[in-house]
Amino acid sequence: MIHCEGLVKIYKTDDLEVVALQGLNLTVEDGELMAIIGNSGSGKSTLLNTLGGLDRPSAGQVKVGPWDLLKITEEELVQYKRDTVGFIWQNNARNLLPYLSALENVEMPMMLSGKTDRAYAKQLLEWVGLKERMHNKLHQLSGGEQQRVAIAISLSNRPKLLLADEPTGSVDTTTSDMIMGIFRKLNREIGITIVIVTHDMTLASKVDRVVAIRDGLTSTEFIKRNPNITDGGDLIQSAGRNLNSVHEAYVVVDRVGRLQVPKEYLTALGIKDKASMEFDGERIVISSPKSLGGSGNE
Ligand SMILES: Nc1ncnc2c1ncn2[C@@H]1O[C@H](COP(=O)(O)OP(=O)(O)OP(=O)(O)O)[C@@H](O)[C@H]1O
Ligand SMILES: [Mg+2]
């Protein structure tokens, strides 16, 4: 569904260039439910906005389904946003109309694309648990209920990919659990691919896979496959700093073959300025020179 390779996004302001993503790699399979975690400023929203066609990539590869978002034309982009992706923002105000009912809010984007389908709009509201409230005006609904309306809206164009930026950022734990439950159900039942951006490490235990972006500037992406989605504690630690368990990390290899080894790995192995490298025909093993006995000082 998603393939990013060496994805670079540079924001240019008057006299400043911010490299928000520097060579990020990410592959998401069709039908996955996954989360992207990372510190503030690590480039999560930049990545999501790029995938959603709201921001243009600066360089690298970024493909979503059949679309190449680096080469896509403005017209195709309109079509892409309308047909392929659904987007949920942390701040609902961006796509909700307070004086329309929940149902009218869901129908609005359908109307704009000329395909109003009231039955489907009702079904969506039922999916997000708002069957009883669909005729209430938005401003009569709680923040969590509004967020669920936003989820229904994001699905109104039957997207193949759902992108959610901090969807539970401003709701309590119960609502957050409910929203995650909705994502899971949608993912399992209609097979939609879902990418959730979050600060919240506990959400990580509720998805199939977690990718942690550590500082878009260092172009390092860590991937932790979820060994057991009910085992939240372990996952949270692994996605954070604990590197004792099995994990996978992707790093960017540049044109001349340089790659950046994550600092934690180097620290864990006590590698300072020199490392040994072995190639066995299939894998490259980087180890501390000490661990190879006699060749330690070479
Ligand atoms: N429109 C923009 N113009 C200039 N710089 C930007 C713009 N948008 C983001 N940035 C910068 O790019 C970097 C990544 O920002 P981004 O919003 O992607 O981070 P984030 O991981 O989503 O953070 P948060 O968790 O706080 O939402 C930051 O240094 C930010 O200041
Ligand atoms: Mg953000």
Side-chain angles (χ1 to χ4, degrees):
M1 177 56 73
I2 299 173
H3 185 72
C4 301
E5 211 172 310
L7 173 58
V8 174
K9 174 65 190 179
I10 299 170
Y11 289 109
K12 292 197 176 90
T13 49
D14 298 337
D15 51 352
L16 200 68
E17 278 196 356
V18 180
V19 185
L21 299 173
Q22 190 182 319
L24 184 125
N25 294 346
L26 175 70
T27 300
V28 179
E29 300 300 330
D30 196 4
E32 266 198 271
L33 169 62
M34 56 99 62
I36 294 174
I37 57 169
N39 294 337
S40 185
S42 58
K44 304 181 299 299
S45 295
T46 303
L47 174 61
L48 221 61
N49 289 341
T50 306
L51 292 173
L54 307 169
D55 267 350
R56 284 287 197 158
S58 307
Q61 262 186 46
V62 47
K63 291 182 179 149
V64 179
W67 302 98
D68 183 335
L69 298 186
L70 200 78
K71 300 192 182 130
I72 198 167
T73 65
E74 286 300 322
E75 281 129 34
E76 287 169 335
L77 199 57
V78 172
Q79 199 190 339
Y80 169 76
K81 285 192 269 189
R82 198 183 55 211
D83 300 339
T84 307
V85 282
F87 216 105
I88 299 162
W89 286 273
Q90 175 174 359
N91 181 2
N92 299 316
R94 228 169 138 171
N95 51 354
L96 298 183
L97 300 160
Y99 293 101
L100 293 185
S101 71
L103 185 58
E104 287 163 340
N105 265 278
V106 179
E107 284 178 327
M108 184 59 78
M110 294 176 168
M111 256 162 68
L112 295 177
S113 61
K115 286 180 247 169
T116 311
D117 183 344
R118 173 152 292 198
Y120 185 56
K122 285 184 173 170
Q123 186 186 29
L124 286 174
L125 285 163
E126 204 174 321
W127 274 343
V128 298
L130 289 173
K131 192 180 176 192
E132 315 300 329
R133 308 298 305 270
M134 65 172 79
H135 298 295
N136 281 89
K137 301 266 188 274
L138 248 287
H139 68 89
Q140 296 168 329
L141 301 180
S142 73
E145 286 165 343
Q146 291 187 22
Q147 189 62 320
R148 285 185 276 149
V149 175
I151 295 173
I153 291 173
S154 72
L155 296 167
S156 61
N157 59 344
R158 300 175 194 264
K160 290 168 194 64
L161 172 65
L162 189 60
L163 302 171
D165 196 351
E166 307 260 5
T168 60
S170 49
V171 298
D172 63 21
T173 323
T174 315
T175 309
S176 164
D177 282 348
M178 180 188 270
I179 288 173
M180 284 308 294
I182 293 167
F183 284 145
R184 272 202 93 71
K185 190 159 170 263
L186 288 168
N187 173 252
R188 297 293 180 259
E189 289 180 11
I190 60 174
I192 186 169
T193 308
I194 305 181
V195 178
I196 302 165
V197 157
T198 181
H199 268 104
D200 182 358
M201 296 280 199
T202 59
L203 285 193
S205 62
K206 295 170 183 146
V207 297
D208 301 330
R209 187 162 69 103
V210 179
V211 170
I213 298 183
R214 299 263 180 89
D215 183 0
L217 288 168
T218 64
S219 55
T220 305
E221 181 203 347
F222 287 71
I223 291 188
K224 173 76 175 70
R225 281 195 187 279
N226 190 341
N228 171 7
I229 54 171
T230 57
D231 188 0
D234 173 53
L235 183 65
I236 291 156
Q237 282 195 331
S238 312
R241 242 145 225 106
N242 184 342
L243 294 167
N244 294 327
S245 51
V246 179
H247 59 275
E248 231 182 284
Y250 288 179
V251 294
V252 174
V253 180
D254 75 12
R255 241 171 257 137
V256 295
R258 284 180 300 214
L259 56 81
Q260 190 168 359
V261 180
K263 221 179 262 150
E264 287 91 332
Y265 292 19
L266 298 177
T267 312
L269 294 175
I271 295 175
K272 286 201 181 76
D273 49 2
K274 234 184 224 179
S276 298
M277 195 183 267
E278 286 172 81
F279 178 53
D280 66 6
E282 227 175 81
R283 291 181 309 170
I284 300 167
V285 179
I286 297 172
S287 48
S288 163
K290 282 196 296 291
S291 67
L292 294 176
S295 59
N297 296 324
E298 311 203 345

